[in-house]
Amino acid sequence: MKPRLALVASTSALALAGCAAEATPVPVEALAQSGRSAFVCLAIDRPDPDKPGVMRSLPITDCSSGTVESSTDYEVDAKDGGRATLPHLYGLVTQTARGEVAVVDLTTESSLIVDRDTGTPAPSFLPVGAQPVDIVATPGGTASFVAVAEPGRAGIYALPSAKVLPREGCPVPSLSSWPACSLPSAPGEMLLLADPPDADGNVRSSCDAGLPPYDVKPTPPGDPGAFVDDVCATSNGSLAMEGGGRQKLLVTLPDLGGFVVIDAQTLLEHEDYKDGGFKECKVERWVPLQVSLPPAAPPDEPPPGDVSPDDVSCSRPAVAASPEQAFDKPRPAGLALSGDRLFIADLDAPVIHVVDLPTPCEPREQPPLLPASTLDPGRVVTTRRLAVSQASPPEFNRYLYAVDAGDGSVMVFDVSDDVGEDASSRSPLSRENPDWNPFQPPDRIRLPAPVRDLAIVQREVPRSLPATGVVPRGIRCSPLPELRTCDSSVTSCDLETLYRTSTDRDSGAGPLKLRGTFAYMALTNGQVAIVDIDDLDAACRGPERQSARAGCGADASPSGPPLETSGEASCNVVLPHAVRSETYIVASDGSGQIEPGVQGLPILYDRSGAVVPLSGESPKMRATFPSEGAAPDLALAVGVQREAIASSDSAESELDERGLVLRSGGPQHALTMNLEDPRVHIANETWTVTYEGVLTSITRASIAFDENLHLRGTDARFCRRGVQSLTSVTAQLKAAGVPEGEAETRAEQLADFAQITSELPDEDATYWKSVDPAVCSFDTCNAKYGSVITSRPALRVVEAYEDHLELEPRNEVEFAACCFAGSVQLGIRAGGQWVVRSNGAGFLHHVIADPAGGYCRNSCDTRLSRFNGRVVHTPRDGRVTDGDVGAFLNPMFRFAVTGGVPEQDMQFRFTTQGAFTPLALDLAEISDTPELQPQSIQLVPATGQLAVTDGSVQGLFLLSSRDVAVARRYR
């Protein structure tokens, strides 16, 4: 169906006697439990100065963001026959608890909320029946329609615009004032669509019109003066005057599993529905929705051959088969229209229905989209709210955003015209390089709180050509240095340069300059988050010299000419379908500590806490270098400065300087931050890198030696704690190409070991009388276990399972089992490795319990490959390359530790900076109350603003179209 909702300039005109003069401001917090909103554009003409004004409804786009002091000021031009030149924009907001619709004048400076009955003490709005669930307005403003789910009286009320404002001498509206019809079931969301006219402008009176089907001639715009004596607006208006075709209501019926099509004009004017008639709605089309699912996919096959721990280095996670979907029938929810296609969310079935709508009278259901979860494939994923983007050049991609009804995350579907209909094309998009940010699911956007509603908008802030004043639109910024920049001295230039970031970052491409397509998401915590879809300035946001380390692509060359960019640290500061940054990702004196880095360079301490000076004999933390391609000039943001990392050895000191920071006082420890996706830096944390450090201390789980001398506990969770055994490390080394004999030797050095940290039973405890003195006694146990914990025997982990450990050497294990009766406390340490921990993320790892054997192994899932917390010490000093055995990589940074002779509990310490700050508006903070419950967010076409309704007492927020701020608030 073509977009046929564009309207002719003139629409219905109805009398409105003294309406603006009677509008009364309502006290603060008059709005309560607001639900959905709609908007109409109305003007009051004065064709006869001696008679009441005449209301004229207008296309919504005829209103603007302009404001006036008085609600009666429509800037009437007496020279133009009393025609109003400043129509007012009115918001109609459902009040779900009171069963009313509030009317808000958005054009007056006084933020006027209209009280329809000033004779009562409480604010009075338009009654529409209990539980209003949705409201829509005709594009020409003639009427609005409210769907109500009142038990026993479910239906639709029509609110003619001529009757929504107060009129002097006219009765206060009641339920019987509105045309209304009943529905067989409670309605859900609804849309207004136009059944387009034929080539001559004729329209169908109904979807079932006879021959000729287009039986209604076009209706010319009315004469406002003809209605000057209709003081109380006895006519409900004619939608035909809006043009664009015959308007239809598409209404979902969730309990019945489908939707109906109802003629809007018939509801407005038919005798059965006048004065609250509430006869059955005349349904022109009933569309029961279908659920068409592909066959359930079997789980992934295990790797071929033997999967014993002797010959595999990782385990494939168990993958559940797609569940047999169990549901009685579809339950339609949110709606989104894109051209000729209607998308319908479903709260019960794991589909998003796709309906082809060449016209509202010919709906045809197509194969659905298939919501799913990569991380939890066994979950039945359903959806609540939808929003769809417009196709934008040059590729004309179109995306559907769907809110997961289960966890409030957002899935993205490619619904471009050229996308196929196979099951994979109908599934959620997955991020490229999901290993860059394993904290985010690969197939959805997860925000700090569940998404309640969302809207997709296009923004533009066009620049004019300095020499001509021409204002081109839709121009994409380009950083290519060969382009000719535009200034007042040239008449010919490249338009793409107009939007580049200025040297001082005061103008041009930047985090708060929104040009392109963006998703606004209202969260349940009162925030509105902004997600990039297609930023026209994206190419100008990034580093001047591109590299793979900055996420610029594997073929990016740092040796090319510098680009004219914002100078930010990553090529993915702007990333499609990812949250937008609130700040520039740079480190400089003027912008503060906002590039991922460290607050101070790492410092090495010994076990006692004394600083270990960096020397030829001490361990050194070094930045690692790329393994392929031209090496970029590595740097590390330290505070507000970027410190260069030495890529060559100057031979001016006894140290190999490669990978270290060079300062005037000499070389310093260093690391490099991962900048492929700055969103991975979710918090500033204090990190420790401890030689043979403690992976986990188990003090609360019930763990004891069993009859096989295994340490066993049903709630031990050894795999989930990241324990790696001798067998696991051996398999990893062999897989890395280490010869078998060498692998076994090195594995003995690198396998984890357990140290019992419990206190011995008291010397006079009766326990000692029950033990075999030939095996142990208090004295022999106290000799080994009465000393400081760190010097207690190390029991190497031969094999680890989720609920028990197999240990060696056996004689030490037997002795320990004799010394400690019942449950024990223990610490697990890494053998011959540095353990990386933070005060927030803790110890990162990707160890899982093998689905078949139950033993602990690293997961084969490459998305988790950066969840690492172990650094193999590199004995030799010098350059370390990514991928080397001693090269460490986690989601946030990378480094190696080389040289020296490390001692247990030696520790590097540093604190990171530059945590990613998502761009979001905190409405709860603006309102000074945590009791905020956003219900809906939608675009106001007249102003480009976004309207957010609150389900508590905060009413209506209007978000600015020019910047990221709240423009106005009504409550």
Side-chain angles (χ1 to χ4, degrees), residues 726 730 733 739-750 796:
L726 174 69
T730 303
L733 292 172
E740 183 173 351
E742 182 183 348
E744 292 174 353
T745 301
R746 292 184 63 182
E748 291 181 357
Q749 302 167 352
L750 301 176
R796 184 184 297 115

Side-chain angles (χ1 to χ4, degrees), residues 588-631:
S588 67
D589 291 330
S591 56
Q593 300 180 12
I594 48 182
E595 178 180 332
V598 293
Q599 296 177 14
L601 290 172
I603 298 175
L604 178 63
Y605 299 85
D606 65 17
R607 176 180 290 181
S608 68
V611 174
V612 178
L614 193 151
S615 68
E617 290 73 36
S618 69
K620 303 158 199 68
M621 182 180 287
R622 299 175 183 269
T624 58
F625 290 85
S627 56
E628 296 179 358

Side-chain angles (χ1 to χ4, degrees), residues 389-399 414-419 517 533-534 577:
S389 69
Q390 298 181 29
S392 57
E395 297 178 351
F396 294 95
N397 291 330
R398 183 183 289 113
Y399 300 100
D414 188 346
V415 293
S416 305
D417 294 338
D418 57 352
V419 173
T517 305
I533 298 178
D534 182 20
H577 317 306

Side-chain angles (χ1 to χ4, degrees), residues 468-479:
T468 64
V470 174
V471 184
R473 303 178 69 88
I475 304 298
R476 293 182 181 272
C477 185
S478 173

